[in-house]
Amino acid sequence: MDGNHSGGLGLVGDIGGTNARFALVEFDGQDPRLIEPTAYRGGDYRTAEDAIEHYLQKVGVRHPDQAVVAVAGPIEHGSVHMTNLDWRISEDSLRRAGGFRNAKLINDFTAQALAAPRLGPKDLRQIGPLPTSGEGDLAILGPGTGFGVAGLVRRHGQEIPLATEGGHVAFAPVDEVEIEVLCALTKDLQGGRVSVERILSGPGMEDLHVALGAAEGRQVEALTAKQITEHAVEGCADSLATVNRFCAVLGSTAGDIALTLGARGGVFVAGGIAPRIIDILEKSPFRERFEAKGRLSGFTKAIPTHVILHPHTALIGAAVALTPEGRAAVS
């Protein structure tokens, strides 16, 4: 791509605990269009700015006009220290590194929230009996390297994302096995607090695998999350037990978040793990546990749930944040 064409382009990024994804965005009066989305391993770069400079060199664009970068972590005063990656990023450093006129940091699940209403049927897998709804507030959550949570308030044609740190709420067991898992994880953390992210993430799945095996009296070997999901898809009983329990906890947590945010319009499951286990998740206790809210079960039974399959949802949301309406929503 010729750098002389950079005037109508913006840059968007999605930086998580493992991967850093970037794309150019073209503005032509229509919905923003992603150009050359590319993923890098964050650990291969010293800083986010180095990764951005590498990407801009690759695509041959010197100075896009503006940038929005979605990051996994709480943003304070225009800067963030990544939760699961040792990077510090600021809007000022991004402006200098990329030569942008404007640069904005937003939470990665704020970006997911902005993108969710724009996803089509091919980008989603419906879990349960209800299709997506065009009305009502939304919740977006997802396990990956960490566990993210956001909301989207929809009022009078406006969409306002709600950034949260809901991935760090406490894990609430619902049966004796999960109580034993909680006790084991509490012990491993030397009496520390067990958040849902300690289970609903890649590292959390690895800890769950060992703790669940012990709670159910099975001898299991320590595996990576990638190995657990691959073995589960292949039918390995121990790994399948872990993934089914993971899906059950995910369902309970998603239902709690739907209650907390009043997400009558739907709950979307994002992140890198759910699409890899989608066929297991669809048959798992996820939806049953999502609905099982005692006196409020009628509330959650009426809420649609979907898994997001699109690989660049946060980039789409970051691109939305470059539009006038999106800028107003995240300002």
Side-chain angles (χ1 to χ4, degrees), residues 104-329:
K104 176 82 173 169
L105 290 174
I106 62 174
N107 180 268
D108 58 339
F109 270 76
T110 295
Q112 296 275 0
L114 287 170
R118 293 161 176 80
L119 299 176
K122 70 181 185 304
D123 302 320
L124 302 168
R125 174 79 72 90
Q126 180 178 321
I127 307 296
L130 302 173
T132 55
S133 170
E135 299 179 353
D137 299 340
L138 306 178
I140 299 87
L141 54 96
T145 305
F147 185 70
V149 178
L152 188 73
V153 178
R154 300 197 282 189
R155 294 287 187 280
H156 310 297
Q158 291 187 308
E159 297 174 346
I160 302 172
L162 179 64
T164 86
E165 288 300 324
H168 299 282
V169 301
F171 166 54
V174 302
D175 61 22
E176 291 184 1
V177 169
E178 290 179 11
I179 290 171
E180 289 192 42
V181 168
L182 174 61
C183 290
L185 295 178
T186 301
K187 184 177 179 181
D188 288 344
L189 293 170
Q190 298 180 331
R193 178 175 175 274
V194 178
S195 70
V196 292
E197 185 175 82
R198 298 289 186 177
I199 292 174
L200 297 178
S201 62
M205 180 182 285
E206 294 165 8
D207 292 340
L208 174 64
H209 185 63
V210 175
L212 180 65
E216 294 182 339
R218 294 180 284 109
Q219 288 283 343
V220 300
E221 62 175 322
L223 298 172
T224 66
K226 184 174 186 289
Q227 289 172 323
I228 294 166
T229 56
E230 288 176 349
H231 293 179
V233 169
E234 293 166 359
C236 168
D238 286 336
S239 292
L240 187 57
T242 297
V243 171
N244 270 315
R245 182 66 66 165
F246 183 95
C247 293
V249 174
L250 180 60
S252 284
T253 304
D256 288 346
I257 290 166
L259 291 175
T260 302
L261 297 180
R264 293 179 181 271
V267 172
F268 292 83
V269 180
I273 294 177
R276 297 204 301 267
I277 58 172
I278 186 66
D279 292 334
I280 298 172
L281 190 147
E282 195 168 37
K283 299 172 185 175
S284 78
F286 170 87
R287 182 70 198 189
E288 177 186 348
R289 292 274 292 262
F290 178 85
E291 296 178 359
K293 297 302 172 188
R295 292 175 294 169
L296 270 295
S297 291
F299 186 98
T300 46
K301 282 181 180 178
I303 295 175
T305 50
H306 291 76
V307 172
I308 295 174
L309 303 178
H310 195 291
H312 301 303
T313 315
L315 293 179
I316 294 172
V320 172
L322 283 171
T323 67
E325 296 82 4
R327 283 198 298 271

